[in-house]
């Protein structure tokens, strides 16, 4: 029996951070069981970077290096850049004809984002940004995906995708399956300051960062402010290091908590232990990244090959869609 198919995409934001590693490990783990299409959503990225898109190409290279380092396998999965498969734009355009404006206006991320980015001085009250989730629907339906691995924040987009499939199937002929979400359970990783990890907060730990940089990030982590001396009893529940120990050093967590509360371990040595564990995770990633980036044309070749495979599938879908729409 043919494997079920999954499709997922990521905007090219540049170097990824430790939070992304969990997403990538999840993707990599799906490669065995599923026929996978993973793509760089560069058109989606453009919706917020159109004023200065000069970093886009390098961001794509850096991100794909992280993908490969984390175990995405271009032999098994189709890895490509969205804009290398122009059929995404055609399908998006066709969908735009049948999609009521109100569907897009009520997507909860839309008004939120326009407002949030507006406060940062970015005007994204654009046609393209309104259509963002519909382009995403085209990305997914193009490959007739059975499932889409996403985080919880993307569920409204997936709902819109299913509604689009239903409407198309109803208006013309049943062409598209309704994809299910494959909720990836990734740990909520705080940044070093305790807020959500994000490049824009400068509180992130970059994938493949050098050992010295990694150690200094761990040193930056917020600990229990009430602890001045090692012997002061600690409150691990308010401490970022403690959160990380729970994710990356689970077997030692209970012991650390006990020692911390009793004032028997200092934050310096607690951080040192964590840094050692993170370094063991980072070391192979750093080396693999470096290798992929150093091999001339390697990433470009991966993406060329992926786009070729994606275009074959996309051409079939678009042909079928044109047929049933009567173009
Ligand atoms: N909107 C997604 C995000 O911000 C990225 C994305 C674009 C995507 N197209 C997709 C995810 C298709 C899954 C499937 O994370
Ligand atoms: Fe946090 Fe560890 Fe210090 Fe306790 S000992 S406050 S868990 S860094």
């Amino acid at each position: 029996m043919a494997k079920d198919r999954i499709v997922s995409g990521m905007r090219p934001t540049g170097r990824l951070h430790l939070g992304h590693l969990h997403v990538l490990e999840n993707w990599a783990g799906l490669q065995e069981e599923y026929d996978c299409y993973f793509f760089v959503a560069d058109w989606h990225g453009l919706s917020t970077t159109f004023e200065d898109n000069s970093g886009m190409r390098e961001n794509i290279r850096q991100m794909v290096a992280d993908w490969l380092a984390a175990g995405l396998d271009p032999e098994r999965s189709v890895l490509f850049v969205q804009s290398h498969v122009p059929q995404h734009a055609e399908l998006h355009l066709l969908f735009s004809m049948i999609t009521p404006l109100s569907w897009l206006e009520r997507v909860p991320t839309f008004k939120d984002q326009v407002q949030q980015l507006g406060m940062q001085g970015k005007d994204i009250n654009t046609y393209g940004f309104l259509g963002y989730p519909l382009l995403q629907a085209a990305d997914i339906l193009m490959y007739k995906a059975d499932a889409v691995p996403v985080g919880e924040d993307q569920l409204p987009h997936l709902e819109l995708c299913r509604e689009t499939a239903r409407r198309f199937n109803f208006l013309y002929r049943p062409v598209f399956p309704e994809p299910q979400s494959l909720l990836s359970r990734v740990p909520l990783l705080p940044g070093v300051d305790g807020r959500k990890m994000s490049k824009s907060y400068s509180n992130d730990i970059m994938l493949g960062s050098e050992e010295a940089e990694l150690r200094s990030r761990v040193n930056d982590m917020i600990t229990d402010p009430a602890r001045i001396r090692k012997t002061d009893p600690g409150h691990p529940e308010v401490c970022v290091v403690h959160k990380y120990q729970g994710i990356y050093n689970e077997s030692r967590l209970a012991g650390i908590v006990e020692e911390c509360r009793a004032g028997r371990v200092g934050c310096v040595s607690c951080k040192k232990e964590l840094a050692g564990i993170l370094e063991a995770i980072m070391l192979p990633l750093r080396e693999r990244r470096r290798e992929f980036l150093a091999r001339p044309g390697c990433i470009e070749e991966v993406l060329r090959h992926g786009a070729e495979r994606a275009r074959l599938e996309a051409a079939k879908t678009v042909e079928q869609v044109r047929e049933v729409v009567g173009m």
Side-chain angles (χ1 to χ4, degrees), residues 122-134:
K122 223 179 210 169
D123 181 9
I124 47 158
N125 220 330
T126 59
Y127 181 45
F129 192 71
L130 180 68
Y132 182 114
L134 196 62

Side-chain angles (χ1 to χ4, degrees), residues 6 8 10 76-77 88 100 116 126 134 156 177 180 243 266 318:
I6 61 175
S8 201
M10 213 181 260
R76 283 193 289 174
S77 299
H88 287 236
Q116 233 181 41
T126 59
L134 196 62
Q180 299 308 304
K243 281 230 176 65
V318 164

Side-chain angles (χ1 to χ4, degrees), residues 25-152:
E25 282 177 341
N26 181 265
W27 286 9
L30 294 165
Q31 297 180 113
E32 195 59 40
E33 195 182 334
Y34 293 94
D35 178 23
C36 296
Y37 285 70
F38 296 124
F39 69 95
V40 180
D42 59 342
W43 274 323
H44 281 103
L46 189 61
S47 70
T48 53
T49 63
F50 61 90
E51 283 177 289
D52 177 10
N53 198 45
S54 56
M56 179 74 87
R57 283 188 191 184
E58 184 54 22
N59 281 351
I60 293 175
R61 234 175 92 74
Q62 293 292 332
M63 190 166 90
V64 173
D66 284 335
W67 285 14
L68 298 172
L72 296 194
D73 175 1
E75 294 305 317
R76 283 193 289 174
S77 299
V78 182
L79 308 180
F80 65 101
V81 174
Q82 185 183 35
S83 71
H84 296 178
V85 185
Q87 286 88 348
H88 287 236
E90 181 172 349
L91 193 58
H92 175 217
L93 177 72
L94 275 164
F95 285 163
S96 76
M97 302 303 167
I98 67 166
T99 306
L101 209 46
S102 60
W103 287 13
L104 293 168
E105 285 166 341
R106 72 160 191 247
V107 172
T109 43
F110 175 64
K111 279 195 185 111
D112 285 2
Q113 290 258 51
V114 168
Q115 219 182 20
Q116 233 181 41
L117 291 167
M119 284 188 312
Q120 293 168 29
K122 223 179 210 169
D123 181 9
I124 47 158
N125 220 330
T126 59
Y127 181 45
F129 192 71
L130 180 68
Y132 182 114
L134 196 62
L135 178 58
Q136 184 165 345
D139 299 336
I140 297 166
L141 297 177
M142 181 70 82
Y143 304 99
K144 303 189 177 174
D146 298 289
V148 184
V150 284
E152 205 156 346

Side-chain angles (χ1 to χ4, degrees), residues 223-224 227 234-236 239 241-242 245 256 260 265-267 270-271:
T223 60
D224 176 4
R227 282 196 97 190
H235 307 84
C239 168
V241 181
H242 164 254
Q245 299 282 23
I256 290 168
C260 174
V265 64
C267 296
C270 187
K271 283 178 165 177

Side-chain angles (χ1 to χ4, degrees), residues 197-217:
M197 187 179 282
S198 162
K199 187 158 58 184
S200 54
Y201 292 154
S202 308
N203 65 0
D204 60 331
I205 299 177
M206 240 196 289
L207 283 193
S209 35
E210 296 302 323
E211 182 171 359
E213 190 187 334
L214 174 65
R215 287 186 185 276
S216 109
R217 290 318 255 163

